[in-house]
């Protein structure tokens, strides 16, 4: 195995021996934050899930990979985190109402992100809750938009469960399956610490770039007098409940 001497804390043996399940808890929190908190869109969940599955393969010194747990447990915990995050996001929207959308744009919140999410609901109806899992930004705002629009909770929870299984559990297992390709499996086993470094460094850079980009846009809109969402505008961002009952417009012709 190739070790990165400057970052010994990324050595799988160190992670497993000292952190134990904490590494998995960090992953689960990130997955939860993507749909449970309105700042979650800054986090690259898709890549993280695939990498988590890859790193769950047995490596030198560990029967179950970096997390020290069977991949089924890892995938189930990640899927559960995705489900709980979706439920919390819905609760925030349901309890907070349109006022959730009433704020100054800060780079962490954008009216355009809400409008983009609303456009998904307009096109795909309630099934957006499932599809949104695979679309960055939309998966962060979809639970809140569904809550604000008072989408029936039972239906939302069913869609949220399906989406969490397909995305959280599914992508993690997809990453694990990739490891059965001999060249990839050998690469993961040999360069595990470098993969971790790339994952951590890449996540940090993407997050920083996204945050600075959103901040820049927010400042420009604020300078142009468009940086605030008042009560009336927030009310307009709330979806009509009938939107959730529409059949998907799969061909995009405007007909459901």
């Amino acid at each position: 195995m190739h070790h990165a001497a400057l970052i010994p804390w990324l050595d799988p043996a160190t992670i497993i021996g000292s952190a134990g399940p904490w590494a998995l808890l960090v992953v689960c929190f990130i997955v939860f934050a993507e749909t449970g908190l309105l700042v979650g869109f800054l986090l690259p969940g898709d890549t993280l899930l695939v990498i988590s599955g890859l790193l769950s393969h047995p490596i030198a010194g560990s029967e179950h990979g970096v997390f020290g747990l069977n991949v089924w447990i890892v995938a189930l915990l990640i899927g559960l985190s995705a489900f709980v995050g979706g439920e919390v996001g819905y609760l925030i929207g349901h309890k907070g109402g349109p006022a959730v959308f009433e704020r100054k744009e800060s780079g962490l919140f954008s009216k355009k992100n809400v409008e983009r999410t609303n456009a998904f609901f307009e096109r795909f109806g309630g099934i957006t809750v499932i599809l949104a899992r695979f679309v960055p930004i939309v998966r962060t705002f979809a639970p809140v938009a569904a809550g604000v629009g008072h989408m029936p909770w039972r239906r939302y929870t069913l869609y949220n469960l399906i989406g969490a299984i397909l995305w959280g559990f599914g992508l993690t297992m997809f990453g694990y399956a990739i490891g059965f390709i001999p060249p990839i499996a050998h690469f993961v086993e040999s360069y595990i610490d470098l993969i971790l470094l790339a994952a951590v460094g890449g996540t940090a850079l993407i997050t920083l770039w996204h945050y600075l980009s959103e901040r820049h846009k927010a400042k420009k809109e604020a300078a142009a007098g468009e940086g605030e969402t008042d009560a009336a505008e927030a009310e307009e961002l709330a979806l009509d409940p009938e939107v959730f009952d529409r059949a998907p417009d799969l061909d995009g012709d405007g007909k459901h």
Side-chain angles (χ1 to χ4, degrees):
M1 180 179 291
H2 298 262
H3 295 276
L6 295 177
I7 49 169
W9 56 275
L10 286 176
D11 183 4
T14 302
I15 294 175
I16 295 171
S18 61
W22 292 110
L24 180 57
L25 287 178
V26 170
V27 172
C28 288
F29 175 76
I30 290 175
V31 170
F32 165 81
E34 278 222 83
T35 49
L37 305 175
L38 282 174
V39 297
F41 65 88
L42 295 171
L43 306 170
D46 299 317
T47 303
L48 187 65
L49 296 186
V50 174
I51 290 178
S52 294
L54 264 173
L55 300 185
S56 295
H57 266 275
I59 56 177
S62 173
E63 180 182 357
H64 296 304
V66 168
F67 300 117
L69 295 171
N70 183 280
V71 65
W72 288 95
I73 298 177
V74 172
L76 283 171
L77 289 175
I78 290 176
L80 178 62
S81 300
F83 174 77
V84 173
E87 293 298 300
V88 171
Y90 176 89
L91 185 62
I92 290 174
H94 187 74
K95 295 295 184 181
V100 174
F101 300 141
E102 185 181 346
R103 64 180 69 188
K104 291 184 178 180
E105 303 210 10
S106 62
L108 297 179
F109 173 89
S110 171
K111 178 181 176 181
K112 290 184 174 59
N113 288 336
V114 179
E115 291 174 339
R116 180 184 179 189
T117 301
N118 287 350
F120 268 77
F121 274 109
E122 290 285 351
R123 180 173 180 182
F124 298 108
I127 202 173
T128 291
V129 176
I130 299 175
L131 301 179
R133 289 287 184 178
F134 300 89
V135 185
I137 297 180
V138 175
R139 65 169 159 258
T140 297
F141 289 91
V144 179
V148 172
H150 295 289
M151 179 179 182
W153 175 74
R154 292 181 183 275
R155 186 188 310 165
Y156 170 81
T157 296
L158 175 61
Y159 288 157
N160 181 37
L161 177 61
I162 295 173
I165 292 174
L166 293 177
W167 182 69
F169 181 87
L171 281 188
T172 302
M173 294 304 294
F174 173 72
Y176 183 76
I178 289 177
F180 285 106
I181 303 174
I184 296 179
H186 176 71
F187 179 81
V188 170
E189 181 176 356
S190 299
Y191 297 93
I192 187 71
D193 48 357
L194 298 180
I195 292 175
L196 285 168
L197 175 62
V200 174
T203 296
L205 289 175
I206 292 174
T207 299
L208 179 61
W209 177 84
H210 199 145
Y211 174 74
L212 293 177
S213 176
E214 291 292 329
R215 286 286 296 177
H216 178 68
K217 292 178 182 177
K219 287 181 178 180
K220 287 181 62 177
E221 291 174 354
E226 302 174 354
E228 296 185 10
T229 304
D230 59 25
E233 290 174 321
E235 187 72 37
E236 291 178 359
L237 289 172
L239 292 165
D240 190 310
E242 70 175 19
V243 169
F244 306 122
D245 295 324
R246 293 177 182 170
D249 175 17
L250 299 178
D251 55 8
D253 64 354
K255 299 179 180 179
H256 296 269

